[in-house]
Each structure stands twice: as C-alpha cells, then as structure tokens.
Amino acid sequence: MSGALDRLASGLFALALVGAPLLGLAACDGEKLDPEDGLEREDLGSFTTDTGGGADIPFEPAAGAVSALVHCGPYGYDILATAETITGPGDSAIYDMEDPTGTAMRVGIMSDLLPVLLPVSPDLDLAAGAHSMRMYFDAEEGVTVSCSAVYRTQPVEANPTVDIRVVFVGVNDVAPGLNAAEAETTLASVLDEVNTMWSGGNLEIGAVTYEDFDGDVATYTVVDGDEELGSLLRTVSSTNDRSITFFFVQEITDDAGGTILGLAGGPPGTAAVGGTSKSGVVVTAASFASDPSEVARIMAHEGGHFLGLFHSTEKDGSESDPLSDTPECSNDADGNGTLASNECEGTGAENLMWWNTKDGATMSADQGWVVSRSAAVR
Ligand SMILES: [Ca+2]
Ligand SMILES: [Ca+2]
Ligand SMILES: [Ca+2]
Ligand SMILES: [Zn+2]
C-alpha cells in the first residue's frame, strides 16, 4: 500500500503551458440530443469497509457499453481512497495497485470521492459482464460510501464533440472581458486554441455556454485547498452534467499553500454526473490579459484529465500513462529528480498531457480514443 500512497503528492494534477494558430471556432448549436441518450445509470448501493479496510464494489457493464464510470463517495477530505484491485469477467485481472504500470489501467488516489473510468487505453478495452473493484481507504475507522455507475452505450462517433460550460467566478476584475456578457467575443480565440490542441485526438468543442457564477463569489474566486475545490465543483447540477464545466477563478492554492494554474476533478472527473466534488474543472484566469494562450493550455490539459487522461509522464518520472503512442521520458539530465520540458524535448514534452504542457502541445490518437468514450462526449 505504501507505494501507492506515496503517490499522493500527485493526487492533484497541476499544469502549466501551449499556443497555436487560430482556427475558426465551431460553436455549433445544432441538433440537440436528449441528454440521456446512450447513457445508462445504475445505483450500485451502499458499501462499508470490512476488517481489511476495503470494500468490494461489484458492477456489470452491459453488452455494447463503450465505457464505464464507477464513482464512490462522499467520504470527506481527511480520507484518501483508491482501487486496490479491479477484476473483469472470469476474474480476469484489470488493475493491481501494487503494480499499476503492469496493466493498461490507471486509477487515481482521491479525497472525498473516487471516480474510476474503464477503459483508459485501447490496450484494455471494456468487456461486458461481471466486474469487481476492491476499494482501499486510508482511514483509521470504518467508512461507508454510496456507489453509482454510468455506462455509456452510445457508440463512438466519427467526429466526437464535447459541450463546454464556462462559469465566471469573479474574474472580471483581474481579466476584463471575462464575463458572461462578453465572453463569446473575448474567449473565442482561446477556444480556437483548445480545439487546435485537441485536434490530434479528433475531439472538438460542441455547444458553448457562458454564465456568471450565482453562488458565493467572494469565497470561490480564490480556491483555497481541496475542500473548497470540491465544494465549488459540487455546484455543477445534474442538468448541466453532460458537458465539461470550467470554473474560471482568480487563483487556486493547494493545501500546502502553493499556487496551481488549473485543477480537474479526477482524473477522471465524474463525467455526466453533477453534484460531486469531481464534477468539473477549475481554471485560473489571472494570466488572461498578458497570456491568453495559457488559459487555453489549462483548459485543454485539465479538460483532458476530466475526460480520463493521465499524465503521459509524471514530473518525477515515477508514473506514466497506459498509452503506447505517447512517449515516456526518463532523461533527467541534470539529476535533480524532475523531468523538465527541455530535458524531454522531442521525447514526450510535446504531448498535451505532459505534466507541464508546452506551446504547441497536441493530443495523440490513443488519447482521442479514450476521450471519445467519455460519457461527457457525444
Ligand atoms: Ca477561498
Ligand atoms: Ca505512453
Ligand atoms: Ca531534471
Ligand atoms: Zn495535469
């Protein structure tokens, strides 16, 4: 267990940089699908930890399902949880916490609520039939959680799109023009850049809506730590849930007092599920006036996390994604324990999900395969 818990430091997925030529934004508002078309939701029930500190969560994707999102919580911000093992039909091994990179599956380590998405790689597609996830909690006492699943039965589209909802949380003071009334103009080139970065995975922004936050702006314009982040993401309602909600804020600080450019619920977020601490993405807009491309890089990268993408290579090189078409870099040339972008030029730093996203980063075909199966994508 300690190996996996050592990874806690990477439980918050931070970001930095991208820029690219602008394309015409297809903010198409065409034919609307029924929001529930192609999704099946299942209440899996309530589960309490056994004497081993874990709980076994059975779930069963239907034939034809292209993805399954299982989520369990809430258990608060003082407890961390992950999956110890996941098995598929015939007790086939899908995931083992002790050797995550030995499989084509990844699971995060999360406070409050754990979302788990299958599949996160074309090398381990989803099978119909009986699955079981053993959840592990880093807790002193017993824990009880509610679990649900969303199975996406809608087939994968040739040209998948994802609807975007941008909610402005008191950012107009530091970034004039970032408000619901002006955003269609002021944010257009940023969304063009997001589309450019996503185009390698053939993902495109669909319908876009802009709102000014109608909650406690004074509290949330600076997001202080994990619990405030979770509370903000929980305001995503079930009527907005088949989209990615991006909250634009002035600043995000982590529990250790560091500043973070963006954070996604997850990975993965609870795509198509509102009301959880993993129901959206938070983006800092402080740099918008001086470097609007930074906002685009944050949106594209954190949106990737929300839709189920893990870092292609982690900052300290200890972890990598389960995708064969994204390079892994191990060239810590100066031996300082950190893989800097200039140490991995041409060998990984060009990917959208590089831990420190750069100018011109792109989504790979395998990453496109994963996101096209998200319940938030159509
Ligand atoms: Ca605050
Ligand atoms: Ca890879
Ligand atoms: Ca280094
Ligand atoms: Zn990240």
Side-chain angles (χ1 to χ4, degrees):
M1 185 61 233
S2 63
L5 282 183
D6 285 345
R7 302 191 289 129
L8 289 187
S10 61
L12 295 177
F13 285 78
L15 181 310
L17 311 177
V18 197
L22 307 183
L23 298 178
L25 172 65
C28 52
D29 225 331
E31 200 180 331
K32 283 269 186 181
L33 295 167
D34 181 318
E36 292 300 308
D37 270 356
L39 298 186
E40 289 178 15
R41 297 175 189 270
E42 185 179 11
D43 179 359
L44 298 172
S46 175
F47 300 87
T48 298
T49 47
D50 55 31
T51 51
D56 295 304
I57 321 293
F59 61 101
E60 189 162 345
V66 300
S67 70
L69 174 73
V70 177
H71 55 98
C72 294
Y75 43 83
Y77 297 90
D78 295 330
I79 294 173
L80 293 160
T82 189
E84 194 170 335
T85 55
I86 302 172
T87 56
D91 273 340
S92 54
I94 290 177
Y95 180 76
D96 180 354
M97 178 178 80
E98 300 297 345
D99 183 23
T101 55
T103 69
M105 180 62 191
R106 296 291 184 273
V107 177
I109 301 169
M110 304 279 160
S111 66
D112 188 57
L113 182 132
L114 178 72
V116 175
L117 176 68
L118 298 92
V120 290
S121 167
D123 295 336
L124 185 54
D125 211 343
L126 182 67
H131 286 63
S132 185
M133 171 169 76
R134 175 143 182 101
M135 232 177 127
Y136 178 86
F137 297 86
D138 181 28
E140 301 292 318
E141 295 178 350
V143 180
T144 298
V145 292
S146 297
C147 299
S148 297
V150 179
Y151 306 118
R152 174 173 154 162
T153 52
Q154 178 198 343
V156 174
E157 300 291 334
N159 294 295
T161 61
V162 62
D163 294 349
I164 297 287
R165 175 175 172 251
V166 183
V167 180
F168 300 102
V169 188
V171 291
N172 198 62
D173 291 347
V174 295
L178 289 190
N179 57 70
E182 296 178 83
E184 195 167 339
T185 301
T186 55
L187 213 55
S189 66
V190 165
L191 298 191
D192 284 344
E193 290 189 56
V194 172
N195 271 330
T196 300
M197 285 180 270
W198 283 353
S199 62
N202 199 32
L203 178 66
E204 192 170 14
I205 295 172
V208 182
T209 59
Y210 302 104
E211 296 164 41
D212 294 315
F213 187 54
D214 64 1
D216 183 353
V217 171
T219 293
Y220 293 112
T221 193
V222 177
V223 174
D224 301 281
D226 206 18
E227 184 161 1
E228 234 177 64
L229 173 78
S231 300
L232 179 59
L233 297 185
R234 238 190 265 278
T235 66
V236 176
S237 79
S238 57
T239 54
N240 300 124
D241 60 15
R242 209 164 172 197
S243 61
I244 306 177
T245 298
F246 291 93
F247 292 96
F248 276 36
V249 303
Q250 292 194 22
E251 190 178 326
I252 306 168
T253 60
D254 63 21
D255 287 330
T259 301
I260 295 167
L261 293 179
L263 281 173
T270 51
V273 180
T276 85
S277 55
K278 308 294 185 287
S279 288
V281 172
V282 182
V283 172
T284 58
S287 63
F288 180 71
S290 60
D291 183 13
S293 291
E294 181 172 272
V295 175
R297 294 190 287 268
I298 300 168
M299 289 183 75
H301 178 102
E302 299 301 332
H305 279 318
F306 185 82
L307 298 176
L309 301 181
F310 291 79
H311 285 159
S312 49
T313 302
E314 200 54 78
K315 182 177 182 176
D316 62 1
S318 63
E319 291 178 74
S320 59
D321 69 19
L323 305 174
S324 52
D325 75 348
T326 57
E328 269 172 53
C329 179
S330 57
N331 178 41
D332 181 15
D334 65 3
N336 71 346
T338 293
L339 295 166
S341 295
N342 64 10
E343 292 171 322
C344 297
E345 264 170 34
T347 57
E350 293 68 31
N351 188 266
L352 175 67
M353 300 314 293
W354 173 246
W355 68 272
N356 190 4
T357 309
K358 296 201 311 169
D359 281 350
T362 56
M363 186 185 280
S364 77
D366 281 357
Q367 288 168 331
W369 187 96
V370 172
V371 300
S372 71
R373 282 157 177 75
S374 169
V377 171
R378 313 192 207 220

